[in-house]
Amino acid sequence: MAPHSFNLAQIGNSLTAPLVIVMPVYNEEANIAEVIGTWSEALRVLDIPFQFVAVNDGSRDRTQEILLQLESANPDLIRVVSKPNGGHGSTCRIGYNIAVNSTANWVLQIDSDGQCDPTYFSEFWRRRGEADCVFGVRTVRADGQIRKLISSACRFLTALATGRDLKDANVPYRLMKREALRRALESIPTDFDLQNIALTLALKRQPGLRWLYLPIRFRARQGGSNSVHFFKIARMGWAMLRQIHRIGKPPPSRA
Protein backbone atom coordinates (compact mmCIF):
# COMPACT_ATOMS: atom_id res chain seq x y z
CA MET A 1 0.00 0.00 0.00
CA ALA A 2 1.24 3.45 -0.81
CA PRO A 3 2.52 5.36 2.21
CA HIS A 4 0.33 8.04 3.70
CA SER A 5 0.75 10.68 6.36
CA PHE A 6 -2.81 11.02 7.63
CA ASN A 7 -4.20 9.42 10.78
CA LEU A 8 -6.91 6.93 9.81
CA ALA A 9 -8.23 6.54 13.35
CA GLN A 10 -8.42 10.29 13.87
CA ILE A 11 -10.38 10.81 10.66
CA GLY A 12 -12.65 7.89 11.53
CA ASN A 13 -13.29 9.23 15.01
CA SER A 14 -14.57 12.46 13.48
CA LEU A 15 -17.35 10.58 11.66
CA THR A 16 -20.53 10.34 13.71
CA ALA A 17 -23.31 9.65 11.19
CA PRO A 18 -25.10 6.27 11.24
CA LEU A 19 -24.07 5.70 7.60
CA VAL A 20 -20.53 6.21 6.27
CA ILE A 21 -20.04 6.04 2.51
CA VAL A 22 -16.61 4.94 1.30
CA MET A 23 -15.83 6.19 -2.20
CA PRO A 24 -12.50 5.54 -3.94
CA VAL A 25 -11.81 8.24 -6.54
CA TYR A 26 -9.37 8.45 -9.44
CA ASN A 27 -9.47 10.96 -12.32
CA GLU A 28 -13.21 11.64 -12.01
CA GLU A 29 -13.36 15.38 -12.66
CA ALA A 30 -16.22 14.75 -15.11
CA ASN A 31 -18.30 12.79 -12.60
CA ILE A 32 -17.46 13.39 -8.98
CA ALA A 33 -19.54 16.51 -8.23
CA GLU A 34 -22.67 15.05 -9.84
CA VAL A 35 -22.20 11.64 -8.18
CA ILE A 36 -21.84 13.11 -4.69
CA GLY A 37 -24.69 15.53 -5.33
CA THR A 38 -27.06 12.86 -6.66
CA TRP A 39 -26.32 10.45 -3.82
CA SER A 40 -26.64 13.21 -1.22
CA GLU A 41 -30.04 14.20 -2.56
CA ALA A 42 -31.25 10.58 -2.58
CA LEU A 43 -30.11 10.00 1.01
CA ARG A 44 -31.73 13.22 2.22
CA VAL A 45 -35.02 12.14 0.67
CA LEU A 46 -34.72 8.90 2.66
CA ASP A 47 -33.91 10.94 5.79
CA ILE A 48 -30.65 9.03 6.36
CA PRO A 49 -27.86 10.90 8.19
CA PHE A 50 -24.67 10.18 6.25
CA GLN A 51 -21.05 11.20 5.71
CA PHE A 52 -18.82 10.58 2.68
CA VAL A 53 -15.20 9.48 2.87
CA ALA A 54 -13.80 10.32 -0.57
CA VAL A 55 -10.33 8.79 -0.96
CA ASN A 56 -8.48 10.39 -3.86
CA ASP A 57 -5.97 7.94 -5.35
CA GLY A 58 -3.48 10.48 -6.70
CA SER A 59 -5.75 11.82 -9.44
CA ARG A 60 -3.95 13.70 -12.21
CA ASP A 61 -6.85 15.88 -13.29
CA ARG A 62 -8.98 18.40 -11.36
CA THR A 63 -10.58 15.76 -9.14
CA GLN A 64 -8.75 16.85 -5.99
CA GLU A 65 -9.63 20.50 -6.55
CA ILE A 66 -13.30 19.64 -7.01
CA LEU A 67 -13.34 17.40 -3.95
CA LEU A 68 -11.84 20.09 -1.76
CA GLN A 69 -14.44 22.56 -3.00
CA LEU A 70 -17.20 20.10 -2.12
CA GLU A 71 -15.67 19.47 1.30
CA SER A 72 -15.36 23.21 1.97
CA ALA A 73 -19.03 23.70 1.09
CA ASN A 74 -20.17 20.63 3.07
CA PRO A 75 -17.65 20.10 5.91
CA ASP A 76 -20.07 18.02 7.98
CA LEU A 77 -20.90 15.67 5.11
CA ILE A 78 -17.66 15.07 3.21
CA ARG A 79 -14.17 14.07 4.32
CA VAL A 80 -11.52 14.15 1.58
CA VAL A 81 -8.42 12.01 1.96
CA SER A 82 -5.64 12.20 -0.63
CA LYS A 83 -2.94 9.59 -1.15
CA PRO A 84 -0.30 8.75 -3.76
CA ASN A 85 -1.59 6.60 -6.60
CA GLY A 86 -1.67 2.99 -5.49
CA GLY A 87 -4.68 1.44 -7.18
CA HIS A 88 -8.32 0.79 -6.41
CA GLY A 89 -7.64 -1.90 -3.80
CA SER A 90 -5.40 0.18 -1.55
CA THR A 91 -7.77 3.12 -1.91
CA CYS A 92 -10.76 1.06 -0.79
CA ARG A 93 -8.75 -0.33 2.11
CA ILE A 94 -7.89 3.13 3.42
CA GLY A 95 -11.54 4.12 3.20
CA TYR A 96 -12.60 0.96 5.02
CA ASN A 97 -9.99 1.51 7.74
CA ILE A 98 -11.33 5.00 8.29
CA ALA A 99 -14.94 3.80 8.38
CA VAL A 100 -14.36 1.12 11.02
CA ASN A 101 -12.96 3.80 13.34
CA SER A 102 -16.20 5.76 13.09
CA THR A 103 -19.34 5.33 15.17
CA ALA A 104 -21.43 4.38 12.12
CA ASN A 105 -23.73 1.39 12.27
CA TRP A 106 -23.42 0.82 8.54
CA VAL A 107 -20.76 1.30 5.86
CA LEU A 108 -21.65 1.63 2.18
CA GLN A 109 -19.05 1.36 -0.55
CA ILE A 110 -19.76 2.73 -4.01
CA ASP A 111 -17.65 3.85 -6.94
CA SER A 112 -17.28 7.45 -8.08
CA ASP A 113 -17.88 7.10 -11.83
CA GLY A 114 -21.67 7.33 -11.77
CA GLN A 115 -22.32 3.64 -12.45
CA CYS A 116 -23.83 3.06 -8.99
CA ASP A 117 -27.44 4.18 -9.22
CA PRO A 118 -28.78 5.56 -5.91
CA THR A 119 -32.31 4.60 -6.96
CA TYR A 120 -31.72 1.09 -5.63
CA PHE A 121 -30.44 2.16 -2.23
CA SER A 122 -33.86 2.69 -0.66
CA GLU A 123 -34.43 -1.08 -0.86
CA PHE A 124 -30.99 -1.77 0.62
CA TRP A 125 -31.72 0.51 3.54
CA ARG A 126 -35.29 -0.68 4.05
CA ARG A 127 -34.19 -4.31 4.31
CA ARG A 128 -31.00 -3.83 6.29
CA GLY A 129 -32.63 -5.33 9.38
CA GLU A 130 -32.69 -8.69 7.59
CA ALA A 131 -28.93 -8.92 7.08
CA ASP A 132 -25.43 -7.97 8.16
CA CYS A 133 -24.27 -7.69 4.53
CA VAL A 134 -26.50 -6.36 1.76
CA PHE A 135 -24.75 -6.77 -1.59
CA GLY A 136 -25.87 -5.73 -5.02
CA VAL A 137 -25.76 -8.20 -7.89
CA ARG A 138 -25.35 -6.59 -11.29
CA THR A 139 -28.11 -8.41 -13.20
CA VAL A 140 -28.24 -5.70 -15.87
CA ARG A 141 -25.12 -3.92 -17.05
CA ALA A 142 -24.72 -0.97 -19.36
CA ASP A 143 -20.91 -0.95 -19.20
CA GLY A 144 -20.30 -3.44 -22.00
CA GLN A 145 -20.11 -7.17 -22.63
CA ILE A 146 -16.41 -7.39 -21.80
CA ARG A 147 -17.07 -6.20 -18.26
CA LYS A 148 -19.90 -8.70 -17.92
CA LEU A 149 -17.64 -11.51 -19.09
CA ILE A 150 -14.93 -10.43 -16.65
CA SER A 151 -17.40 -10.56 -13.76
CA SER A 152 -18.59 -14.01 -14.84
CA ALA A 153 -15.00 -15.23 -15.04
CA CYS A 154 -14.30 -13.75 -11.62
CA ARG A 155 -17.25 -15.62 -10.13
CA PHE A 156 -16.10 -18.90 -11.66
CA LEU A 157 -12.45 -18.53 -10.65
CA THR A 158 -13.12 -17.39 -7.09
CA ALA A 159 -15.51 -20.31 -6.62
CA LEU A 160 -12.82 -22.63 -7.95
CA ALA A 161 -10.17 -21.17 -5.65
CA THR A 162 -12.24 -20.83 -2.48
CA GLY A 163 -14.96 -23.44 -2.72
CA ARG A 164 -17.57 -20.72 -2.21
CA ASP A 165 -19.91 -18.96 -4.59
CA LEU A 166 -19.08 -15.30 -3.99
CA LYS A 167 -21.62 -14.23 -6.63
CA ASP A 168 -20.71 -10.70 -7.78
CA ALA A 169 -17.54 -10.71 -5.65
CA ASN A 170 -16.17 -7.35 -6.79
CA VAL A 171 -19.43 -5.40 -6.87
CA PRO A 172 -18.90 -1.78 -5.77
CA TYR A 173 -22.37 -1.49 -4.25
CA ARG A 174 -22.27 -3.07 -0.80
CA LEU A 175 -23.80 -2.17 2.55
CA MET A 176 -22.12 -3.76 5.59
CA LYS A 177 -22.43 -3.58 9.32
CA ARG A 178 -19.37 -1.78 10.63
CA GLU A 179 -18.47 -4.52 13.12
CA ALA A 180 -18.63 -7.22 10.42
CA LEU A 181 -16.38 -5.08 8.24
CA ARG A 182 -13.92 -4.54 11.07
CA ARG A 183 -13.58 -8.26 11.75
CA ALA A 184 -13.18 -9.06 8.06
CA LEU A 185 -10.38 -6.52 7.60
CA GLU A 186 -8.38 -8.18 10.38
CA SER A 187 -7.94 -11.25 8.18
CA ILE A 188 -6.99 -9.43 4.93
CA PRO A 189 -3.37 -8.36 4.25
CA THR A 190 -3.20 -4.63 3.57
CA ASP A 191 -1.17 -5.19 0.39
CA PHE A 192 -3.71 -7.54 -1.21
CA ASP A 193 -4.52 -5.93 -4.57
CA LEU A 194 -8.18 -6.81 -5.00
CA GLN A 195 -9.45 -5.73 -1.60
CA ASN A 196 -13.13 -5.91 -2.56
CA ILE A 197 -12.89 -9.57 -3.57
CA ALA A 198 -10.83 -10.36 -0.49
CA LEU A 199 -13.41 -8.59 1.64
CA THR A 200 -16.28 -10.56 0.12
CA LEU A 201 -14.46 -13.81 0.94
CA ALA A 202 -13.53 -12.70 4.46
CA LEU A 203 -17.13 -11.73 5.15
CA LYS A 204 -18.38 -15.03 3.75
CA ARG A 205 -16.09 -16.87 6.15
CA GLN A 206 -17.53 -15.13 9.20
CA PRO A 207 -19.87 -17.57 10.93
CA GLY A 208 -23.41 -16.43 11.52
CA LEU A 209 -23.47 -13.40 9.21
CA ARG A 210 -26.80 -12.88 7.49
CA TRP A 211 -26.62 -12.12 3.77
CA LEU A 212 -29.01 -10.44 1.42
CA TYR A 213 -28.45 -10.03 -2.32
CA LEU A 214 -30.45 -7.45 -4.24
CA PRO A 215 -30.49 -7.04 -8.04
CA ILE A 216 -29.17 -3.76 -9.41
CA ARG A 217 -28.65 -2.22 -12.81
CA PHE A 218 -25.10 -1.01 -13.34
CA ARG A 219 -25.09 2.11 -15.46
CA ALA A 220 -22.60 3.17 -18.10
CA ARG A 221 -19.94 5.59 -16.93
CA GLN A 222 -21.39 9.07 -16.67
CA GLY A 223 -18.21 10.65 -18.08
CA GLY A 224 -14.46 10.23 -18.37
CA SER A 225 -12.72 6.99 -19.29
CA ASN A 226 -12.08 3.72 -17.50
CA SER A 227 -8.54 3.45 -16.12
CA VAL A 228 -8.64 -0.35 -15.72
CA HIS A 229 -8.42 -2.36 -18.94
CA PHE A 230 -8.81 -6.03 -19.81
CA PHE A 231 -5.16 -7.07 -19.63
CA LYS A 232 -4.63 -5.21 -16.36
CA ILE A 233 -7.68 -6.97 -14.89
CA ALA A 234 -6.35 -10.32 -16.15
CA ARG A 235 -3.00 -9.73 -14.44
CA MET A 236 -4.68 -8.69 -11.21
CA GLY A 237 -6.95 -11.74 -11.36
CA TRP A 238 -4.01 -14.09 -11.80
CA ALA A 239 -2.20 -12.46 -8.88
CA MET A 240 -5.33 -12.80 -6.76
CA LEU A 241 -5.60 -16.54 -7.45
CA ARG A 242 -1.97 -17.01 -6.45
CA GLN A 243 -2.38 -15.01 -3.25
CA ILE A 244 -5.90 -15.80 -2.08
CA HIS A 245 -4.51 -18.27 0.49
CA ARG A 246 -3.17 -15.22 2.37
CA ILE A 247 -6.68 -14.27 3.46
CA GLY A 248 -6.90 -15.68 6.96
CA LYS A 249 -9.75 -17.03 9.01
CA PRO A 250 -11.93 -14.46 10.78
CA PRO A 251 -10.91 -13.60 14.34
CA PRO A 252 -13.26 -14.52 17.19
CA SER A 253 -16.17 -12.17 17.68
CA ARG A 254 -15.83 -9.57 20.44
CA ALA A 255 -19.54 -9.83 21.16
Side-chain angles (χ1 to χ4, degrees), residues 208-244:
L209 284 191
R210 299 169 302 158
W211 282 78
L212 182 63
Y213 291 100
L214 296 177
I216 61 172
R217 178 182 183 271
F218 211 52
R219 302 187 295 197
R221 285 183 61 90
Q222 302 301 289
S225 59
N226 200 319
S227 61
V228 180
H229 303 291
F230 177 79
F231 291 109
K232 183 175 181 179
I233 292 173
R235 289 195 301 271
M236 294 169 68
W238 175 244
M240 178 203 68
L241 292 175
R242 289 189 291 109
Q243 298 180 36
I244 206 163

Side-chain angles (χ1 to χ4, degrees), residues 56-250:
N56 178 31
D57 185 29
S59 294
R60 298 172 182 171
D61 59 6
R62 293 183 57 250
T63 294
Q64 174 71 357
E65 176 187 343
I66 295 169
L67 283 173
L68 292 177
Q69 290 172 354
L70 292 170
E71 183 183 44
S72 178
N74 305 276
D76 295 331
L77 298 182
I78 302 171
R79 296 286 188 278
V80 176
V81 176
S82 297
K83 59 182 279 291
N85 182 256
H88 185 269
S90 67
T91 308
C92 286
R93 180 60 183 252
I94 287 175
Y96 289 147
N97 286 344
I98 290 171
V100 297
N101 281 286
S102 73
T103 60
N105 299 316
W106 292 93
V107 178
L108 171 69
Q109 190 250 307
I110 57 174
D111 274 351
S112 56
D113 54 13
Q115 293 185 273
C116 298
D117 188 342
T119 302
Y120 296 95
F121 187 70
S122 60
E123 184 72 0
F124 279 60
W125 193 250
R126 184 182 70 83
R127 299 186 63 182
R128 69 192 186 284
E130 303 172 31
D132 304 290
C133 302
V134 187
F135 272 43
V137 176
R138 292 171 283 190
T139 55
V140 179
R141 301 189 63 158
D143 56 347
Q145 286 299 313
I146 290 179
R147 287 274 164 168
K148 186 175 180 179
L149 288 172
I150 289 170
S151 292
S152 297
C154 178
R155 181 174 184 177
F156 172 77
L157 292 173
T158 52
L160 191 66
T162 68
R164 296 172 181 265
D165 183 3
L166 303 183
K167 297 188 183 295
D168 198 348
N170 200 35
V171 65
Y173 204 130
R174 49 181 69 194
L175 179 67
M176 303 158 284
K177 280 191 173 177
R178 179 175 57 86
E179 177 61 15
L181 173 61
R182 181 196 62 75
R183 292 185 62 218
L185 293 179
E186 291 181 17
S187 63
I188 304 172
T190 58
D191 63 348
F192 198 94
D193 279 338
L194 296 175
Q195 286 283 323
N196 270 359
I197 293 177
L199 177 58
T200 304
L201 175 59
L203 288 167
K204 279 287 188 180
R205 285 177 171 173
Q206 281 191 40
L209 284 191
R210 299 169 302 158
W211 282 78
L212 182 63
Y213 291 100
L214 296 177
I216 61 172
R217 178 182 183 271
F218 211 52
R219 302 187 295 197
R221 285 183 61 90
Q222 302 301 289
S225 59
N226 200 319
S227 61
V228 180
H229 303 291
F230 177 79
F231 291 109
K232 183 175 181 179
I233 292 173
R235 289 195 301 271
M236 294 169 68
W238 175 244
M240 178 203 68
L241 292 175
R242 289 189 291 109
Q243 298 180 36
I244 206 163
H245 66 278
R246 299 174 59 208
I247 303 171
K249 295 181 179 179

